[in-house]
Amino acid sequence: MPKKKQTTVVEDPEPRINGFTEAEWHEISVLIGEAIEAETPIRITLKSKLGDKVLEGVPFVKDSRLYLRSAEGSSVQVPLERMAKVEEAVRY
């Protein structure tokens, strides 16, 4: 008879928001909020199967979704569930 495979579920002791701890998410939210208010660019790194992808632009919210507007004026929606890192970017 084949042996049954046992699996153990380990719960993360700290609640996560889009993969970040509450403290990390708060820090990211503040940084994005300040950039929106001051209309300054930020750099967001997204996790991807093909490697990290970096988006850069001035953040804004439309229809409860986060977008970045590039220096050229084009916009891209930021998939929050794929965010790996958020940092301030240099001014254009």
Side-chain angles (χ1 to χ4, degrees):
M1 274 179 113
K3 290 185 178 181
K4 284 189 176 182
K5 190 176 183 179
Q6 285 187 321
T7 57
T8 305
V9 176
V10 178
E11 287 190 32
D12 192 341
E14 216 172 334
R16 301 264 171 183
I17 303 167
N18 291 331
F20 295 98
T21 65
E22 286 185 35
E24 290 169 333
W25 187 251
H26 175 74
E27 188 177 315
I28 288 168
S29 299
V30 168
L31 182 61
I32 292 172
E34 288 173 350
I36 290 172
E37 192 173 301
E39 295 184 3
T40 58
I42 58 173
R43 184 176 296 120
I44 295 177
T45 304
L46 301 176
K47 296 176 279 199
S48 170
K49 291 177 184 174
L50 303 173
D52 290 350
K53 179 179 181 180
V54 177
L55 301 176
E56 189 171 289
V58 177
F60 67 97
V61 176
K62 180 180 174 188
D63 299 327
S64 300
R65 294 190 172 110
L66 179 65
Y67 292 84
L68 290 181
R69 183 177 297 114
S70 72
E72 297 81 35
S74 61
S75 310
V76 63
Q77 183 180 345
V78 179
L80 299 178
E81 68 280 357
R82 290 183 42 216
M83 283 194 333
K85 187 164 71 170
V86 177
E87 55 192 325
E88 290 181 282
V90 294
R91 289 189 179 270
Y92 294 133

